[in-house]
Amino acid sequence: MRAFDLSERAARRGWRSQRKRVNRWRSRLFIIIQISLAAGLSWWISQTLLGHEQPFLAVVASIVCLGFSFGQRLFRALEIAVGVTVGVALGDLFWVWFGTGVWQIMLVIAAAMSITTWLGARTLMVTQAAVQASVVLTIPPGLDAGFSRWSDALVGCGVALLFATVAPVSLVEKPRIQAAKVLHETASAIRAMVIALTERDEEAAAEVLERARATEAQMSELTTLVNEGVAVVRTSPFLRHRRHKVLEIADVAVPLDRFTRNLRVLARRAAMGVYRGEQIPKAHLKLLTRLAEVTDDSAAELFAARRPDSKIEEIAAVGVASSKVALEPNLSSTVIVAQVRSMLVDLLELCGVEYTDARDMVPQMED
């Protein structure tokens, strides 16, 4: 029976691993297809239109320029394109003038890196120039004599730049979905926190703390997605009409980051309160429950592709209720109320309210 349980757990782990692999592949499928098409088109243009028999550099240049990420993609492709063309041109020149050998390879690499550095290039362009120059100089021209390899590189880079302007709509939708997921997870963690505090369950409180800490990685992912989305809508002519939506989510990310930071403080205090056996008043637990509700409602709005400004009144009502809660002498209760009030201000800002107005919507505690 024990062997059966172990094999079942192993099978489940294997299945989860395969699902992650499939999801990773699906997330990259668009760019895989895009790079494949760009490489094939570059080969066809160089071979059919330019008459080059084996235009391998056209394929290489298109693959290198497109890379495996959409963030700042057009600028990066342009940067790499310059590096590739400079490197290939220098390699061809050195092959014609000096031939190949140890000192020629050293000299062409030094020249390629020096020229691109003088042009003000960043590391990526400098490296590509050196790599391409050395490749051209060490591979006999054979079928691709003269400067045809340089023109092949230009074709590959040109096709890559064209393809770099095309990006899937999902790239500008992902930041919004990720922000909604973070809010939803936060609401779930707060609900679990209420249960842990009610039942004084140390293990459950520790799990809530781990969930709260996990939001830091989730926010890091959101930041990456936002940066990528902003870069895409700024460079792709096909997605510029979505710029407002992406920038709106970028604005949401700042108060959401503060919101999750306050959640982590709240979770630590809740875990400590359970550990010390402190009694949390029902009014404070109810306040946490209401915070979870308005947080989940805000997440639902983001999932529906709407900024949650329709929830401002509900959040403000919770803020007013928080000012009427009686404080208790124990530290955990006081910190819980204080953190809830801070998170309500963050949530209002997330909905588009200015900080000073959001602060006023969560009035001072009553005596």
Side-chain angles (χ1 to χ4, degrees):
M1 188 69 179
R2 180 176 175 79
F4 175 77
D5 290 340
L6 289 174
S7 61
E8 185 180 14
R9 284 199 293 270
R12 287 177 179 174
R13 282 197 301 271
W15 174 248
R16 285 196 297 269
S17 175
Q18 290 304 313
R19 285 183 61 185
K20 287 180 181 178
R21 294 170 192 268
V22 170
N23 289 335
R24 184 167 61 247
W25 171 76
R26 288 178 62 185
S27 69
R28 296 178 178 177
L29 182 58
F30 181 91
I31 194 169
I32 289 172
I33 294 173
Q34 196 178 47
I35 291 174
S36 302
L37 290 173
L41 181 59
S42 299
W43 176 278
W44 180 83
I45 291 173
S46 289
Q47 190 176 64
T48 305
L49 301 184
L50 300 183
H52 300 164
E53 193 170 343
Q54 297 291 330
F56 74 97
L57 274 178
V59 176
V60 172
S62 62
I63 295 172
V64 170
C65 286
L66 284 176
F68 242 101
S69 171
F70 281 101
Q72 300 293 338
R73 199 175 189 215
L74 188 60
F75 297 118
R76 189 197 61 205
L78 183 60
E79 185 179 33
I80 294 176
V82 173
V84 168
T85 51
V86 168
V88 173
L90 279 175
D92 266 334
L93 286 172
F94 268 72
W95 180 272
V96 172
W97 292 345
F98 308 114
T100 185
V102 176
W103 70 267
Q104 291 94 331
I105 291 173
M106 292 189 293
L107 187 58
V108 77
I109 291 174
M113 297 183 78
S114 297
I115 290 173
T116 47
T117 299
W118 179 78
L119 291 173
R122 293 186 295 182
T123 305
L124 191 60
M125 185 196 295
V126 175
T127 303
Q128 281 303 318
V131 169
Q132 298 304 325
S134 61
V135 166
V136 170
L137 198 61
T138 53
I139 296 178
L143 297 171
D144 288 308
F147 291 96
S148 62
R149 292 186 291 188
W150 182 67
S151 59
D152 288 339
L154 282 178
V155 168
C157 293
V159 171
L161 287 170
L162 178 64
F163 272 71
T165 63
V166 181
V169 175
S170 62
L171 277 179
V172 298
E173 293 294 332
K174 282 181 178 179
R176 174 183 58 78
I177 295 171
Q178 179 66 13
K181 286 180 178 179
V182 172
L183 271 180
H184 178 67
E185 171 57 23
T186 302
S188 298
I190 294 171
R191 288 194 176 95
M193 187 186 304
V194 172
I195 295 173
L197 287 168
T198 302
E199 299 178 356
R200 300 186 185 183
D201 187 334
E202 287 188 36
E203 186 175 342
E207 289 178 2
V208 171
L209 181 56
E210 287 302 311
R211 290 177 65 176
R213 287 171 174 165
T215 59
E216 187 172 5
Q218 294 165 7
M219 284 304 304
S220 178
E221 182 180 352
L222 174 60
T223 300
T224 300
L225 291 173
V226 166
N227 291 338
E228 204 165 65
V230 170
V232 166
V233 296
R234 282 178 175 168
T235 57
S236 174
F238 308 106
L239 294 175
R240 285 188 180 177
H241 64 287
R242 294 177 175 268
R243 183 174 179 178
H244 173 72
K245 287 290 185 182
V246 174
L247 294 178
E248 191 175 77
I249 295 300
D251 292 338
V252 163
V254 177
L256 181 56
D257 182 52
R258 290 196 293 265
F259 186 77
T260 55
R261 289 173 187 269
N262 280 319
L263 171 71
R264 293 194 284 273
V265 175
L266 176 63
R268 282 197 298 271
R269 176 42 55 182
M272 184 60 68
V274 172
Y275 171 74
R276 295 181 183 274
E278 295 178 335
Q279 179 69 43
I280 307 300
K282 290 183 178 180
H284 295 189
L285 296 176
K286 183 178 179 181
L287 189 62
L288 282 171
T289 301
R290 293 188 66 183
L291 173 63
E293 289 171 354
V294 293
T295 301
D296 233 353
D297 290 343
S298 299
E301 289 295 293
L302 285 177
F303 273 122
R306 296 187 296 265
R307 189 160 186 166
D309 49 11
S310 62
K311 303 301 174 183
I312 291 175
E313 289 187 9
E314 294 177 28
I315 300 168
V318 180
V320 171
S322 71
S323 66
K324 299 177 181 179
V325 172
L327 295 177
E328 296 293 322
N330 67 69
L331 180 61
S332 293
S333 293
T334 302
V335 172
I336 286 173
V337 174
Q339 288 305 119
V340 168
R341 288 167 60 80
S342 294
M343 292 174 75
L344 288 169
V345 173
D346 297 333
L347 202 54
L348 286 166
E349 284 190 84
L350 188 147
C351 295
V353 180
E354 292 292 330
Y355 170 71
T356 52
D357 295 330
R359 183 183 56 193
D360 292 340
M361 288 181 181
V362 183
Q364 188 174 346
M365 298 288 294
E366 296 181 1
D367 295 331

